[in-house]
Amino acid sequence: MLQNDGGDALVHADDSAALSRRGLLIETVATSVADVLNAKSATTVLPEVLTRVARVVRIDRLLVVESDRSAGARSSLFFTWAAAASGLPDAAAEQSRGADELSALQDWLAPLASGQPVVTARRTAPAAVREHLQSMDVVTSLMVPVMVDGRPWGRIVLEDCTSEHDWVSDDIKVMTTLAETIGAAITRERFSAQVQQRERLLHAVNQSTTEIATAKDLHAAVKHALRITATAIGADRVLVLEVHRSVASGRETHLLRNFWHARNVPLGLQQIVANTSAEPRPDVLAWLAPLRDGKAVSGSRSTAQNGSREVFETFNSLSVLLVPIMVNARYWGHLSIESCSQERDWNSAEVDALRTLADLIGTLITQQRHREEIATANTIIQSSPTILYRLNGDAALPMTYISQNIGQLGHNPVELLADPRCYRQMIHPDDRAGLQAAMESLLQPDAKPGVIELRMLNKSGGVRWFENRFRPVRDESGQVEIEGILTDITERKHSEERIALLARTDTLTGAANRLIFGDRLRQSFAAAQRGAHPFAVLYLDLDRFKEVNDTLGHHAGDLLLQQVAQRLKATTRKIDVVARLGGDEFAIIQSEVSDSSAAGRLGEKLIEIVSAPYVIDGNELRIGTSIGIALWDRETPEPDSLLAQADQALYRAKHSGRGQYRFFSEEIDHETREHLALAEDLRAALGRDELEICYQPQVELVSGRIMGMEALLRWHHPTRGLLLPEDFLPIAEKFGIMQQLGRWTLDGACKQMSLWRQQQMSVPVVAVNVSLAQIKMGTEFVRDVNESLERWRLQPSDLELDVTEHVLARTTLSQSDVLVELRRLGVGIAIDNFGAKYSTLDYLRTYHVSRLKIARGMVAAADAQAGGSAMIRAILSLAAELGLDVVAEGVETENQRDLLVAASARAQGQGFYYSHPVTAHESMQMLRAGVVTPEKSGGPP
Ligand code: C2E
């Protein structure tokens, strides 16, 4: 027992040991989580991490069992660890179970599938489980599920073989966190493997397209394309089958046109022939029916029935994907892609790539048909998809010949030749200059044949792509003509565009994919390093997405992901990048981020927008999101580290309660949150009567007579107490509240001036500070000023607007017109803080200012620094010459006052020496006296 000085029991020694063990466990798991998150390949660090955890938990055995295998396969051990004294479980003990026993064991493991841990003590377990544990030598077991991509993948099993383990809920939670992290890491690895596979696939299709388009031997080129595509998707056999329907019998036969098969898998020619001659069973016909509508069909042996199952058995294949080949928009046949070594699904990227290949083969067949038709009909020119032309080589390049088949585009060859220069109208406007340049270059003496691609317009304005091959032809006299052949390449162009699109986008959501995200991240990073705008990376993860998948199915999950992506795109700007990185993870590059609050605001907006209800298949459902944010700064070593930082911030966001955003830097996180909260309070403050205007007198220094009152804003914050302008005006500026606040102050000060006047108090002028945001309002600000003056029956000269040098320096020429206009109306303009920094005498001329307010720092320097008073004297004499009044700000001492008076008998001043800013109520008393007697004390109140 531990005791304190007074002898009271503090903590039982056993409790204390347990506590310190738990502390150690939390620490070990936290380090492990970080190791897994930071590892390049999480699976490689798992053995070390799990061994470390197993030692700290003090169990006898730790197993990771992977159960996510294809149908019919057994669970497999992914990782095993055993304390020296305990052996590993006997694999043989897993065999030969009766149906009852199996069902009891399935019930026992059932909670894992829905993400719940299972704790079991052999002593109290149901009979079948007890026997199972006995056979494995287990006394207590804790199983925590590992979910990958939102689906059960396997479990971590922690076993005790000698004594019972007391699994308290905190320890179970810690182990669940570890399992979640492992699941997330495996998800990520799987996804990146998928991305690599997709890249290989796109490369294969791309290569096939080029080879087929340029091949001399088409059959060989298609065969090669089948080989590289099949290898990229890991298929064992690919057949190109033409489906032929006999007119007499109506029966369909499949004719093998091309093929590829892996070395260890036979082609199965006999089976193909046998299958062709047999009458297909009705269920097989029904299964194949969607092909006729251009839809792909797939299946696996374990789920196939009757006739379809027989087909799988005949061909000895386990899974098949059939992709239709359409010729002239009609079903011609299909690509049959088979897997013979394992059952598998075909993901959307694979189906898309194979579709592109099938489209390409379809186009080739169309072209071949054309050629055949041409040969048979002997109308080579008229029916050919290639158009011939001739241009005369003089400067105007008139057309002298065009083949009849230009009629395919709806143009009349006779009309074209009647107006030999009008052929230019058939060329797409964007390609006309390129064509002209290419043709003109052919007129040069040493010109060579050339080729360009261009778009041509048909009669109704539709666009088709053509390859234009041309060459100069010279006769003996040196006269030049241009001969050209135009070949329609529209289909090939479309295939290329589709491939390019596939390479850029996530096929499910249409958002950018990880590859493009990486590219854009690197571009933004390089641009920022070169001095362009900073940017932020936001990493989003949907909260409880798995539940949607589990309860409504993967189809609903997919629809939800599509809608989320649409919302993210609608909430961000065109210059931002929205990408899906995998599963339910999205990332955004927010461009041109001036400060952290812009990223914080986007984070808030995204959380709100993603959390709004969705309607999926008629069900209304809600989902949340957590966001991690990383901001680029000069210290960021490389683009990838930003994503890693955002990921770590996301981890913190999720663990601080989901539905939140967190910045990678805790300092920025804190500051941004503070600012956002204050901005929200400030918006509400006006309505809650928390703002107040105080007034500080401006006096003639010789006599103490009040020459004006300056309005100064105060905020009585309900929890933070009294806040001064410096605490909240920058926030108001940043969050767009300044206009509203400025309007309120202006009107309040005018109202107060009118009250003073009603009470016969003589105040020559009320001074109101003006912000940059108000000046930017332009004529709207002028209208505000006029309205307030009219509302409170004041003259323009009763009001003075104080603009700091700092604001003037940030005002553009057109914005500053506002001040000129106000001055023209008779409103006073004072340059505030004069001498603090910029001191441009030009302002005095431009705005015809009425007063200069000498900065507090200059006044303080007047009696503290050598030469300080000379500066003041210089300003005062300059102002006298220009006929301007001068108010010295921050007069705190008698000495300062005397110095100013000595410099100019007309000088005015404002400062604690005379009075601190006072409430409207207190101002009445002061004004009744008309003169202010110094407070003497100076300094803060
Ligand atoms: P400012 O226009 O130069 O106002 C004078 C500031 O100096 C006031 O601070 C006042 O309390 C302080 N002050 C006056 N005499 C003395 C003195 O003898 N010693 C010292 N140390 N300070 C003195 P406050 O009220 O905190 O305002 C600070 C600034 O915030 C103002 O400087 C002005 O630029 C801005 N501000 C205040 N109210 C408003 C407003 O309604 N709108 C806008 N746009 N800005 C405002």
Side-chain angles (χ1 to χ4, degrees), residues 141-263:
S141 110
L142 164 65
M143 294 184 281
V144 279
V146 179
M147 313 298 274
V148 167
D149 212 2
R151 295 172 214 197
W153 171 88
R155 55 192 184 270
I156 302 179
V157 185
L158 300 105
E159 295 176 338
D160 292 280
C161 303
T162 44
S163 60
E164 282 197 1
H165 192 114
D166 181 16
W167 281 107
V168 296
S169 71
D170 279 356
D171 288 356
I172 297 174
K173 269 188 210 145
V174 172
M175 295 314 301
T176 309
T177 306
L178 180 65
E180 272 174 15
T181 311
I182 293 173
I186 296 174
T187 306
R188 238 167 265 170
E189 264 178 61
R190 270 194 183 182
F191 189 76
S192 98
Q194 274 173 19
V195 168
Q196 281 172 11
Q197 190 238 21
R198 237 183 101 188
E199 253 185 286
R200 277 200 304 276
L201 192 52
L202 286 168
H203 179 72
V205 174
N206 218 345
Q207 195 184 341
S208 307
T209 313
T210 323
E211 281 181 14
I212 291 176
T214 54
K216 285 210 178 76
D217 180 349
L218 268 183
H219 188 79
V222 171
K223 201 176 197 65
H224 185 232
L226 297 181
R227 180 173 72 74
I228 55 178
T229 315
T231 315
I233 57 174
D236 296 315
R237 191 160 49 206
V238 188
L239 311 177
V240 181
L241 294 165
E242 180 180 351
V243 177
H244 206 271
R245 189 189 282 267
S246 151
V247 184
S249 64
R251 256 190 57 201
E252 277 185 353
T253 43
H254 289 186
L255 309 174
L256 183 65
R257 293 297 184 204
N258 212 327
F259 62 86
W260 174 87
H261 58 100
R263 269 208 194 128

Side-chain angles (χ1 to χ4, degrees), residues 206 209 356 455 465 489-505:
N206 218 345
T209 313
T356 308
R455 282 159 292 177
W465 275 99
I489 52 164
T490 311
E491 268 71 33
R492 194 185 89 203
K493 275 282 178 191
H494 287 172
S495 295
E496 282 170 10
E497 277 163 18
R498 246 181 95 197
I499 289 167
L501 189 72
L502 277 174
R504 283 199 310 270
T505 48

